[in-house]
Amino acid sequence: MSHPSRLRSILARLTYTLLFSLLSPLLLVSLKRKKRALNKSADQEWAQRFGFRLPASEAQGWLIHCASLGEVNAATPLIIALLEQGIPLTISTTTAAGAAQVEKRFAQQVKHSYLPLDLPGPMSRFLQAVNPKKVLIIEVELWPNFLHKCKERQIPVFLINARLTDNSRQRLARWPALSQPMLSSLTAIGTQTERDLQNYLQLGVASDKINLSGNIKFALNLDEQLQHDADVLRRRYNPADRPVLLAASTHQGEERLVIEAWQHLRQQTPQLLLILVPRHPQRFAEVQALCQQYQLTVTQVSLKQETIEQTDVVLVDVLGQLQAFYGLATIAFVGGSVTNRGGHNPLEASLFNVPVMMGPYQHNNQHICDLLKANKALVEIQDEQTLIAQFQHWLHDPRELEAARQGASATINQFQNALEATLKMVNP
């Protein structure tokens, strides 16, 4: 970097630091109010925001920074893989939701700290206390002083599962004196998609620093516990091994559509079992009442009932069991897609090689849906009639059903490859 460029960068970071210092009291007042509203103390978080009361360093430990809940979920497959390699981890978050998810998912396995305010003093104390051998940042959380202090301490920094929209690229391009030093300080970037990669290249990041590693968030694994849970559910709710239509994460209007399609399908497949998994718990009673309107025999999971020969519907009116219930499905419908809610994630069905039907609204998980479609594991339906036609097509053509199952398996493998590429990048 030339002397004038270096001077501009220093001035830009100083200006940023001054503005951040002026705004930080407002941020802390907001934090205090949120904690008071929840009747919780903010003392520990407040101290960590200034770089105090931090977890002690561990030899050869790594730091993974996740802004909030979404980033913690995205990083979970990577965190599990690194823990299996015996690498001590500290996970920092920006939000309380992220902190709660770290505690819930990893408890005593990792250390946690809130990331301090992006000011030189707090960041210096933070890095001195944690003393990471490497820093992994998930998705987009780039802070000028944080990265500058990492560079001063010669700590390699990797941007993992990176995404960069066109709008974000344009915003960064407006402030090159601030953004260029940040980007140049990164050791390597692993992007989710080709679009993300191209946007980083347009900002001047060297091509040898960027890898199209893919999205690790969905590097799911059918582990022994999940398989065991599915086997237990199968013995309880489908002991006769009936064909199953599972309707997952459904919204109002979608249960009625699926029930009426199921009634039609029963004419050709009398043993067909319907499993309903409403998205929101406040609708469990409503869906139970809807089943009664259609005079269906319902087994409720919340009542610990078991299916009988006459059972028409298994109503999953408890939280946290959808993933295992996919292990019972022959074919699945994923909701939020006929009702315009953007469509829920269909990939969990692929863990059990289950083909999926979805309505036209898929934008919440468009990349995943496109991959499943390309692999013939997802078919878009429009209404009850197209759902019936697609179900019958798969159920009565074993070759097509097996091709869809193989496509689901291939999609899962693509995401597993993303995790492997990311691990290779950060720990060759």
Side-chain angles (χ1 to χ4, degrees), residues 29-43:
V29 167
S30 174
L31 166 65
K32 197 79 170 179
R33 286 177 176 171
K34 288 178 181 178
K35 292 293 183 180
R36 189 182 297 121
L38 296 171
N39 198 28
K40 292 182 179 180
S41 170
D43 292 348

Side-chain angles (χ1 to χ4, degrees), residues 125-393:
R125 290 189 289 273
F126 174 69
L127 290 172
Q128 183 174 356
V130 177
N131 192 26
K133 181 182 177 183
K134 294 182 182 180
V135 171
L136 278 53
I137 298 174
I138 306 302
E139 295 193 354
V140 293
E141 190 86 348
L142 300 178
W143 294 99
N145 283 316
F146 179 38
L147 291 173
H148 178 70
K149 291 299 179 183
C150 287
K151 186 176 181 179
E152 279 187 345
R153 298 174 70 92
Q154 298 183 323
I155 302 170
V157 180
F158 299 85
L159 185 59
I160 304 302
N161 224 44
R163 53 188 175 86
L164 188 66
T165 65
D166 295 341
N167 288 338
S168 295
R169 171 181 53 79
Q170 291 167 5
R171 284 196 296 271
L172 286 172
R174 292 192 195 106
W175 307 98
L178 199 61
S179 62
Q180 289 299 324
M182 285 197 307
L183 295 172
S184 65
S185 69
L186 296 172
T187 304
I189 301 173
T191 64
Q192 294 185 20
T193 68
E194 179 67 28
R195 181 205 67 179
D196 301 313
L197 185 147
Q198 292 299 326
N199 277 333
Y200 278 108
L201 286 175
Q202 288 184 46
L203 286 174
V205 177
S207 59
D208 60 356
K209 278 191 173 186
I210 309 180
N211 305 281
L212 178 53
S213 53
N215 192 336
I216 63 170
K217 179 177 181 179
F218 304 108
L220 305 177
N221 181 39
L222 182 55
D223 57 31
E224 291 182 5
Q225 183 61 52
L226 181 57
Q227 184 64 66
H228 171 76
D229 292 345
D231 291 341
V232 170
L233 294 176
R234 186 180 298 106
R235 289 193 293 270
R236 180 175 297 165
Y237 297 110
N238 191 18
D241 198 25
R242 296 161 59 179
V244 173
L245 171 60
L246 184 146
S249 300
T250 53
H251 290 256
Q252 189 173 33
E254 292 178 331
E255 294 94 2
R256 186 178 296 277
L257 179 150
V258 172
I259 288 171
E260 293 184 357
W262 170 83
Q263 288 181 319
H264 186 95
L265 290 165
R266 279 274 299 254
Q267 296 173 18
Q268 288 190 331
T269 312
Q271 291 302 306
L272 182 62
L273 179 66
L274 176 61
I275 299 179
L276 286 176
V277 192
R279 177 68 176 181
H280 296 118
Q282 61 267 32
R283 297 193 57 250
F284 289 161
E286 174 190 334
V287 176
Q288 162 69 4
L290 179 66
C291 292
Q292 290 178 341
Q293 287 178 25
Y294 283 91
Q295 298 182 328
L296 304 178
T297 302
V298 178
T299 293
Q300 288 182 251
V301 173
S302 64
L303 300 180
K304 295 182 169 52
Q305 299 170 333
E306 296 187 2
T307 55
I308 57 176
E309 186 177 349
Q310 293 77 24
T311 295
D312 298 314
V313 177
V314 175
L315 176 59
V316 184
D317 52 349
V318 296
L319 295 176
Q321 294 201 25
L322 171 58
Q323 192 172 44
F325 264 102
Y326 274 121
L328 282 65
T330 309
I331 295 164
F333 165 79
V334 176
S337 58
V338 172
T339 301
N340 185 6
R341 301 299 175 90
H344 296 294
N345 179 15
L347 197 64
E348 288 182 336
S350 296
L351 270 178
F352 292 95
N353 298 340
V354 175
V356 170
M357 296 177 284
M358 291 184 73
Y361 301 105
Q362 303 164 15
H363 49 270
N364 285 349
N365 296 283
Q366 195 65 59
H367 177 57
I368 293 169
C369 291
D370 289 345
L371 280 176
L372 287 168
K373 287 177 189 175
N375 289 329
K376 299 182 179 180
L378 186 153
V379 170
E380 184 174 307
I381 57 102
Q382 304 294 326
D383 50 27
E384 176 189 336
Q385 295 307 313
T386 51
L387 187 154
I388 291 169
Q390 184 57 42
F391 186 94
Q392 290 177 331
H393 174 69

